[in-house]
Structure formats: structure tokens, C-alpha cells
Amino acid sequence: MIEVKNLTKRYGDFVAVDDVSFTCKPGRVTGFLGPNGAGKSTTMRIIAGLTPAGSGSATINGVAYRDIPNPATHVGVLLDASAQHAGRTGAEILRLSATTLGVPASRVDDALAMVSLTPQEAGRRVRNYSLGMRQRLGIANALLGDPSVLMLDEPANGLDPAGIHWMRTLLRGYADRGGAVLLSSHLLHEIEIIADDLVVIGNGRIVAEGTKEELLAGTGSVVRAVDNNYLGQSLHAAGVAAHPVDGGGFRVEATPDVVGRIALDAQVHLVELRGGDGARLEEMFLQLTQQNQREQPQGVQ
């Protein structure tokens, strides 16, 4: 479990992280969301012991990272997939890590299999890897010590749709076996699919935290009709806010039963009516962070 309590980090007069508190629990995937420069990476670097906190605390299973004996056997970390020795092969990097951690050499083959890197790919030098392959290698390194906690910053960068599906399945299975996963990503749809809990940060402060169901509840409906113009007029006449969506139809700030009654009374022929699942996380994210967007100071995220 990861526990962050009243964490603050300043760079001169600039407050990168401002009194941040949240928990990442075992058996659950926690999505860590926020615009660029919101403080996500700084928070994760503090948790991983790479950046000192100004005040507050960040612990993993009750212990600060720097105080964990052989920490990579307790927490697997991937913050930057490009930070790997380009002149070594993927297998060499994992073998060196296994030696450093004191884990059996057999874990290298196990980790490569978990991330679907073939022996041929593992034998290539990292300079010849695509970004997606570097992500897989970085995740393999994070899993090498069989940790109980995983912390990944933008692990889907460079992955194709099949790779993103693979990663989603891997992390879901890891959490279902009791692991705690802290996952930062700008791919909101993927976070919505995989996450159990959400933590949203903006301008260095937590702006929302809770289960996915709690935070996304009551965010409206998606509706389409044979005559979308008439549907829009009917919703407006009923005093219900409706926002056009790509492909026709509306995202409506009302529940499906309310929208259905309005359509029935107006004799509008509907072709789709559902809860606003498809756009819910994006809508919530934009609403929560629109006042917290900021330019990112150089060297700080």
C-alpha cells in the first residue's frame, strides 16, 4: 500500500506539490490523473525516493522508500522508459538487475515472458528498441523483484492498441492477485477501463479522490435521435443542458430516465440512450482541472 500524507514540495517560490494526501490500496488499481505540470511526476518521484519532500510523508507498506531493505523486491517502479542503457541488450539489463536484487536468474525469463518480449527481442540492444519495447522492458524490470506494489508513470506511451490491451490485462491481473498499482496516464479511456480508484491533481493539489463509481456517478447521459435537431430543441425546452458530441447526438446533464421521458413526451424517435460512460471520465477531468491548468516550469512536472 502507498500512503501519501500532507506532501509538499517547493522549488523556490513555486509550489509543485501542495499538501497532497491519498492512498493506493492492495488489490486495486489507482489512476493518478492531472494536466501537464499538475504535480503527478513530482509526487511519484518523492514516493520513489528520487526527490526529497519539503514536508509531509510518502510511505510504501508503512516505510519510506529509502528505508526499505532491497526496495525493488517490495515496490516496482517505472518512471521513464527511456532511462535504460542503450548499449546493452534487454536481457543484459534484466540480468544485471537480478544480480543486484539477489533474485534467481530464472526471474529474468519469467519477467520477459510476462511482458511478451521474445528471446530474439531480448537479445537486441536497447538503442534499437521502439518506445513500446522500452516500455515493456521497463515493466519487466519493475516486476523482476516480485514486488507487492507497482508504480508506473505513463506506461502506455509508445504502445499500439494490442500493447495497451496487453498492459491493461497484466495490471488488472496483478491487482487481482493482491498487488497495489499506482498508474499515471493521460489516456483517460484506458484509466476508466482499468482503474478502481481515481486521484485527480491540479495545480499541485488534490481536486478529487474516490472510487471510480463515486466520482463518475451522476454525470448524465448520451442520447441520439433520428432527428437530432428536434431532440436538441426538446431538451432545451425542458430546461436540460445538452452538449453536441461527435457523430451526432448529445451528452446530456440528466439521467437516462429523465431524457427518455422528455423524448417520449416530444415524440422523438431515439436510436441511442445510455448513461454517459463513454465520455464520463474526460468530462469529469476537464471540469475538475479547467481552473488548474498551468504552464509547466522548465525542469519541473
Side-chain angles (χ1 to χ4, degrees):
M1 181 168 69
I2 298 173
E3 291 184 279
V4 176
K5 296 181 180 179
N6 305 114
L7 200 64
T8 298
K9 178 63 179 179
R10 294 176 177 270
Y11 294 92
D13 294 333
F14 171 67
V15 183
V17 178
D18 189 1
D19 196 31
V20 163
S21 298
F22 66 87
T23 301
C24 175
K25 301 175 183 177
R28 301 181 72 81
V29 176
T30 299
F32 193 29
L33 307 175
N36 290 338
K40 301 188 304 298
S41 294
T42 298
T43 299
M44 296 179 85
R45 287 179 61 83
I46 292 172
I47 296 170
L50 297 173
T51 297
S55 61
S57 64
T59 59
I60 299 162
N61 296 326
V63 182
Y65 186 94
R66 64 179 179 275
D67 296 326
I68 302 174
N70 202 0
T73 59
H74 298 269
V75 54
V77 179
L78 175 61
L79 299 184
D80 184 358
S82 65
Q84 303 179 75
H85 195 301
R88 297 191 183 277
T89 67
E92 285 174 342
I93 287 174
L94 293 183
R95 285 197 292 267
L96 284 170
S97 293
T99 299
T100 302
L101 299 179
V103 301
S106 60
R107 283 291 299 169
V108 172
D109 291 334
D110 293 342
L112 287 169
M114 280 190 284
V115 301
S116 301
L117 282 177
T118 67
Q120 292 76 19
E121 291 169 332
R124 290 166 54 185
R125 298 190 186 279
V126 171
R127 69 165 58 96
N128 298 318
Y129 276 18
S130 66
L131 177 56
M133 291 176 65
R134 290 182 187 229
Q135 292 285 15
R136 290 175 183 264
L137 180 62
I139 294 173
N141 223 333
L143 293 169
L144 196 61
D146 194 22
S148 61
V149 174
L150 270 182
M151 187 167 61
L152 310 175
D153 191 5
E154 300 287 0
N157 277 357
L159 295 179
D160 58 19
I164 292 173
H165 177 77
W166 157 81
M167 184 195 68
R168 183 197 310 155
T169 303
L170 176 74
L171 297 183
R172 183 71 268 162
Y174 179 88
D176 289 345
R177 293 190 297 274
V181 180
L182 180 61
L183 174 63
S184 167
S185 177
H186 67 281
L187 299 177
L188 299 183
H189 177 65
E190 293 305 316
I191 289 286
E192 183 165 9
I193 291 174
I194 192 175
D196 303 298
D197 303 308
L198 299 173
V199 177
V200 185
I201 187 171
N203 205 23
R205 298 183 64 89
I206 300 299
V207 295
E209 178 187 7
T211 67
K212 180 172 62 179
E213 289 75 17
E214 289 170 346
L215 294 184
L216 300 182
T219 54
S221 312
V222 171
V223 60
R224 287 191 302 124
V226 172
D227 186 342
N228 282 313
N229 289 331
Y230 185 43
L231 171 62
Q233 293 169 9
S234 301
L235 292 168
H236 178 73
V240 173
H243 311 280
V245 297
D246 292 341
F250 300 90
R251 186 170 67 252
V252 184
E253 296 178 15
T255 59
D257 60 324
V258 170
V259 175
R261 286 197 299 271
I262 293 171
L264 179 62
D265 292 343
Q267 297 186 340
V268 178
H269 181 184
L270 299 182
V271 295
E272 180 182 11
L273 175 60
R274 59 180 172 83
D277 296 24
R280 290 191 304 176
L281 183 55
E282 181 180 14
E283 179 181 1
M284 183 206 71
F285 177 84
L286 293 174
Q287 288 176 348
L288 289 171
T289 61
Q290 63 182 344
Q291 300 301 321
N292 295 284
Q293 300 282 352
R294 67 179 179 204
E295 292 297 323
Q296 179 181 340
Q298 189 170 0
V300 178
Q301 182 178 0

